[in-house]
Amino acid sequence: MKLTRMNLWLAAAAAMLLTASCAQAPDAETDPSADAAYKRAHRAEGYREAQRSNVTRN
């Protein structure tokens, strides 16, 4: 019984952690500037590197 309760507690904690860590994107129609800021903040690092002017191709 204790093992079942512990597993249930861990599953609930993991679900809450995953839910809290997922940011919702703002609605682009209601606030375009917030949507653009969200997209800039969540770009992949490779994209940021490619956009720098000092990056040279080999």
Side-chain angles (χ1 to χ4, degrees):
M1 185 68 162
K2 287 184 180 180
L3 184 60
T4 303
R5 267 190 264 166
M6 180 59 88
N7 285 340
L8 183 60
W9 186 86
L10 288 173
M16 289 184 72
L17 179 68
L18 289 174
T19 303
S21 66
C22 297
Q24 289 289 337
D27 185 17
E29 292 182 0
T30 58
D31 193 357
S33 61
D35 184 58
Y38 174 85
K39 287 178 181 176
R40 278 193 303 274
H42 290 84
R43 284 184 185 147
E45 186 60 35
Y47 179 83
R48 290 187 191 116
E49 286 290 327
Q51 295 304 310
R52 292 188 181 145
S53 61
N54 62 352
V55 174
T56 58
R57 298 180 90 185
N58 293 333

